[in-house]
């Protein structure tokens, strides 16, 4: 018995119901019934056939991987009013998942995009392993159970390649399989399949970027797109997404530079509030924290003293860590090989300039941070140039001079500093204990380690660790060359010389000044 399509007259099914033909067979339907049964009478039996429900017909076709026939059947039933449009979308999604597990990623995404009911979160498990931030957003919809549960696309590809290998052996043994003949004749490489999978998943997520989504789903779409762009090294797309209006949230683990671009993007209609951004930055992402503050201060002209102080303290803490790390290496037996490690700690992907250089420049150029807090933080460390800058901010000219002349041993900078001050008393160091905030810590270890054992060490006295504040409106210093920061510490002295002052008198008086400074240290 053959069954024909009522519109196209195409034979769609052939049914065999008997053995050797004996006599005629009679086919009849229910004359007074509902018409759901068809009876076939043979000489020795009567067979009743009933029409399968539409869903069962579709499932049967899908199991045989006749995807085009399944879609055609659904479209026809939907046109006849026997199936809803949601069912058509459901079947498109089901076909898409079957094609995805068969490694036909482009066709799979084509069907996903034709489904009006499929959610983008259903793709998330193919990108990130469970559990993750968006696991609870994934609908637990198993469809008709015709495909395996979702898993990362790498596993999908690996399992698919194993299936192709098994099918190859079975085909040689004469056993038919449902694996695509193209794959059997020309097996694809794992790299090509992964690239195809990622490209097509990107294509799907990019479509949903333009649609209305809930905030958690949008966060997932944008963030996972960034992951996929990175997987294919699509730098331009990464930068475009990072600088656009987006909802990426874990970008710092992908690329710290991109994380900064997301936080500082000027394409946002409403800029993020610093009071919300700063607490949200992972404390371990120090470079991102510093770069964001630098952007606020330098690019956005932020004059909030809180942010200036935060930036100065953060730079100082990083400098302390680098200083201690360097000392650890210098005091160990590791040798010069590890100098590259020290250098790597000072330069990262976000900042091109060395850490200590950035600290010195900011301390010199900004007048809105609290120098006392920074000075208190670096107390006891031999960050002499930084201390000189901070003492200058606090008006402690004698201490600045002593650091330049004695600790940094830079007589030229000390001389220029005196000339820049331009006052006669600048060449005299007050040796009275109540006017000085330096102490001498002599280290007599008894061993002849280095010549530095007899060197003076200047640091703030704990009892006087908080000098009097200075006016924040003092002249702002911006230096041209960070490498010459000591020379620039005093500013453009040649424009501010007092009448009667000259370099010769400065050099002459400097000798007395250094003598008095040494006397002061010895007295203390």
């Amino acid at each position: 018995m053959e069954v024909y399509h009522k519109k196209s007259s195409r034979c769609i099914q052939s049914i065999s119901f008997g053995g050797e033909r004996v006599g005629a067979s009679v086919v009849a339907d229910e004359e007074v019934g509902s018409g759901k049964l068809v009876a076939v009478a043979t000489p020795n039996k009567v067979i009743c056939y009933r029409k399968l429900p539409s869903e069962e017909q579709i499932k049967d076709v899908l199991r045989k991987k006749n995807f085009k026939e399944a879609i055609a059947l659904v479209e026809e039933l939907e046109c006849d009013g026997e199936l809803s449009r949601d069912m058509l979308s459901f079947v498109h999604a089901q076909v898409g998942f079957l094609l995805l597990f068969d490694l036909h990623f482009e066709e799979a995404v084509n069907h996903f995009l034709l489904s009006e009911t499929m959610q983008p979160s259903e793709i998330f498990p193919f990108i990130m392993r469970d559990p993750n931030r968006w696991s609870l957003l994934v609908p637990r919809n198993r469809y008709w159970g015709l495909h395996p549960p979702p898993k990362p696309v790498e596993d999908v590809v690996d399992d698919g390649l194993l299936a192709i290998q098994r099918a190859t052996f079975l085909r040689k043994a004469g056993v038919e399989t449902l694996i695509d003949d193209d794959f059997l004749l020309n097996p694809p490489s794992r790299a090509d399949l992964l690239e195809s999978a990622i490209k097509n998943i990107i294509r799907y997520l990019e479509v949903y970027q333009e649609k209305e989504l809930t905030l958690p789903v949008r966060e997932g779409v944008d963030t996972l797109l960034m992951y996929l762009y990175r997987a294919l090294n699509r730098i331009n797309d990464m930068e475009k997404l990072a600088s656009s209006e987006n909802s990426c949230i874990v970008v710092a683990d992908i690329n710290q530079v991109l994380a900064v671009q997301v936080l500082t993007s000027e394409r946002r209609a409403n800029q993020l509030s610093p009071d919300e951004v700063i607490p949200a930055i992972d404390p371990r992402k120090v470079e991102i924290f510093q770069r964001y503050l630098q952007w606020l201060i330098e690019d956005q002209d932020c004059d909030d003293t809180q942010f200036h102080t935060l930036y100065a303290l953060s730079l100082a803490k990083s400098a302390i860590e680098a200083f201690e790390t360097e000392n650890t290496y210098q005091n160990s037996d590791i040798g010069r090989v590890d100098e590259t490690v020290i250098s790597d700690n000072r330069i990262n992907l976000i900042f091109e300039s060395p850490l200590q250089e950035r600290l010195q420049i900011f301390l010199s150029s900004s007048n809105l941070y609290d120098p006392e807090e920074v000075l208190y933080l670096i107390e006891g460390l031999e960050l002499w140039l930084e201390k000189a800058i901070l003492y200058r901010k606090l008006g402690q000219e004698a201490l600045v001079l002593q650091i330049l002349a004695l600790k940094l041993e830079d007589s030229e900078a000390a001389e220029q500093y005196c000339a820049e001050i331009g006052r006669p008393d600048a060449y005299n160091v007050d040796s009275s204990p109540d006017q000085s905030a330096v102490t001498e810590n002599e280290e007599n270890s008894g061993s002849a380690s280095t010549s530095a054992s007899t060197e003076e060490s200047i640091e703030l006295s704990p009892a006087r660790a908080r000098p009097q504040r200075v006016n924040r409106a003092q002249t702002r210093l911006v230096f041209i060359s960070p490498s010459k920061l000591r020379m620039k510490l005093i500013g453009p002295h040649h424009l501010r010389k007092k009448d009667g002052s000259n370099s010769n008198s400065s050099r002459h008086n400097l000798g007395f000044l250094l003598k008095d400074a040494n006397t002061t240290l010895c007295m203390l």
Side-chain angles (χ1 to χ4, degrees):
M1 182 175 68
E2 294 177 341
V3 180
Y4 291 85
H5 194 280
K6 61 184 178 181
K7 291 185 178 179
S8 65
S9 300
R10 179 172 58 91
C11 181
I12 60 175
Q13 190 175 10
S14 180
I15 304 172
S16 298
F17 50 82
E20 296 182 2
R21 183 167 182 177
V22 179
S25 299
V26 179
V27 179
D29 61 4
E30 300 175 89
E31 295 182 357
V32 294
S34 60
K36 293 182 179 180
L37 293 177
V38 175
V40 178
T42 66
N44 57 2
K45 59 184 172 182
V46 175
I47 304 172
C48 294
Y49 293 93
R50 65 177 178 85
K51 179 182 177 181
L52 284 176
S54 301
E55 291 186 6
E56 295 300 324
Q57 295 183 51
I58 299 169
K59 289 180 187 178
D60 183 65
V61 176
L62 290 177
R63 290 190 186 99
K64 298 175 182 177
K65 297 188 182 294
N66 296 325
F67 301 130
K68 292 182 179 180
E69 182 179 342
I71 294 298
L73 177 59
V74 175
E75 289 176 344
E76 180 181 330
L77 293 172
E78 191 262 337
C79 183
D80 291 342
E82 297 185 34
L83 288 180
S84 67
R85 190 165 186 81
D86 285 348
M87 178 55 69
L88 176 60
S89 294
F90 178 91
V91 174
H92 272 300
Q94 175 68 90
V95 171
F97 284 115
L98 289 170
L99 287 167
L100 187 147
F101 281 98
D102 283 348
L103 309 183
H104 294 284
F105 301 110
E106 183 176 359
E107 296 176 60
V109 169
N110 290 342
H111 282 282
F112 289 155
L113 293 175
L114 291 173
S115 174
E116 298 177 357
T117 58
M118 182 176 170
Q119 298 297 316
S121 56
E122 295 181 55
I123 295 295
F124 294 173
F126 292 96
I127 307 172
M128 295 189 71
R129 295 185 183 276
D130 285 331
N132 59 64
R133 183 184 182 93
W134 302 282
S135 295
L136 298 179
L137 299 178
V138 181
R140 300 305 175 187
N141 190 347
R142 290 287 292 114
Y143 292 87
W144 284 327
L146 301 180
H147 64 270
K151 53 188 172 182
V153 70
E154 296 94 335
D155 296 345
V156 173
V157 169
D158 291 338
D159 293 345
L161 290 175
L162 287 176
I164 292 174
Q165 292 178 0
R166 287 194 298 267
T168 301
F169 291 121
L170 291 174
R171 179 67 63 88
K172 291 179 180 179
V175 179
E176 293 296 326
T177 67
L178 296 176
I179 298 296
D180 194 316
D181 289 340
D182 292 337
F183 284 162
L184 294 177
L185 297 175
N186 187 23
S189 69
R190 184 177 190 272
D192 290 342
L193 288 172
L194 280 176
E195 183 178 1
S196 175
I198 294 173
K199 282 183 177 179
N200 284 285
I201 293 176
I202 287 175
R203 179 165 63 94
Y204 177 79
L205 294 178
E206 285 178 338
V207 170
Y208 274 88
Q209 271 191 308
E210 307 300 324
K211 297 186 178 182
E212 291 292 331
L213 301 172
T214 63
L215 179 58
V217 175
R218 181 163 296 281
E219 288 178 351
V221 169
D222 288 349
T223 306
L224 296 180
L225 261 178
M226 190 70 78
Y227 273 106
L228 297 177
Y229 286 149
R230 184 193 182 217
L232 296 183
N233 199 30
R234 289 167 57 168
I235 303 299
N236 292 336
D237 290 325
M238 294 172 71
E239 293 180 349
K240 181 180 178 182
L241 176 58
S243 61
S244 66
E245 184 72 25
N246 64 78
S247 300
C248 294
I249 60 166
V250 293
V251 181
D253 295 327
I254 305 174
N255 187 302
Q256 296 197 29
V257 176
L258 287 172
V260 172
Q261 290 180 336
V262 170
L263 293 175
T264 62
S265 174
E266 296 182 357
R267 298 187 184 184
R268 297 179 181 274
N270 299 312
Q271 285 294 332
L272 300 174
S273 169
D275 294 329
E276 296 177 358
V277 172
I278 291 176
I281 297 177
D282 189 337
R284 296 170 296 181
K285 310 297 183 184
V286 178
E287 293 82 6
I288 296 177
F289 177 73
Q290 292 175 356
R291 182 62 186 90
Y292 178 73
L293 287 174
Q294 183 188 49
W295 173 79
L296 276 180
I297 293 169
E298 296 182 2
D299 296 350
Q300 302 299 304
D301 297 325
C302 174
D303 58 0
D304 191 321
T305 57
Q306 174 189 1
F307 296 141
H308 280 250
T309 301
L310 275 176
Y311 185 45
L313 290 174
S314 180
L315 289 174
K317 289 177 183 177
S318 297
I320 291 172
E321 293 174 1
F323 181 82
E324 293 174 346
T325 301
E326 185 172 0
N327 284 342
T328 300
Y329 279 108
Q330 288 179 348
N331 295 331
S332 65
D333 297 330
I334 297 178
R336 296 182 61 84
V337 177
D338 294 293
E339 290 180 358
T340 56
V341 178
I342 299 172
S343 177
D344 290 341
N345 288 335
R346 294 181 174 181
I347 301 178
N348 51 66
L349 294 175
I350 296 179
F351 297 101
E352 296 181 357
S353 58
L355 170 63
Q356 197 163 358
E357 185 176 292
R358 284 185 280 120
L359 173 61
Q360 293 167 355
I361 293 175
F362 181 73
L363 293 180
S364 300
S365 61
S366 173
N367 296 313
L368 297 176
Y369 65 89
D370 188 340
E372 296 177 8
E373 291 194 33
V374 182
L375 196 56
Y376 185 78
L377 182 64
I378 65 174
E379 178 185 3
L381 296 176
E382 296 185 356
L383 298 175
W384 296 118
L385 187 52
E386 290 80 355
K387 288 182 178 181
I389 297 170
L390 294 168
Y391 283 132
R392 171 65 186 267
K393 297 284 186 181
L394 294 169
Q396 300 288 335
E397 296 169 350
L399 293 179
V400 176
L401 184 59
Q402 290 174 11
I403 291 174
L404 290 174
L406 302 179
K407 302 308 298 182
L408 299 178
E409 297 181 351
D410 194 335
S411 59
E412 184 176 359
E415 177 186 342
Q416 291 183 6
Y417 180 69
C418 292
E420 200 278 340
I421 294 174
R423 302 194 315 270
D425 62 331
Y427 298 93
N428 299 317
V429 178
D430 191 346
S431 60
S432 59
D434 58 342
Q435 295 295 325
S436 176
V438 297
T439 61
E440 178 184 19
N441 292 330
E442 297 182 354
E443 299 178 358
N444 298 320
S445 60
S447 61
S449 57
T450 63
S451 60
S453 61
T454 60
E455 181 180 352
E456 297 88 353
S457 177
I458 301 175
E459 63 181 0
L460 276 178
S461 171
R464 283 185 287 267
R466 295 285 183 175
Q468 184 177 359
R469 292 180 181 271
V470 297
N471 188 357
R472 294 282 190 252
Q474 57 184 298
T475 304
R476 181 176 181 177
L477 302 178
V478 181
F479 304 137
I480 301 173
S481 174
S483 62
K484 298 181 180 179
L485 193 56
R486 300 183 202 173
M487 304 296 293
K488 300 294 183 180
L489 178 63
I490 56 175
H493 66 279
H494 60 282
L495 298 177
R496 300 179 56 183
K497 286 185 178 179
K498 300 293 184 180
D499 293 337
S501 65
N502 55 59
S503 60
N504 290 331
S505 63
S506 300
R507 189 177 299 276
H508 175 74
N509 290 322
L510 182 60
F512 295 99
L513 175 65
L514 294 179
K515 180 179 179 181
D516 290 343
N518 275 306
T519 302
T520 302
L521 288 174
C522 292
M523 291 178 63
L524 293 174

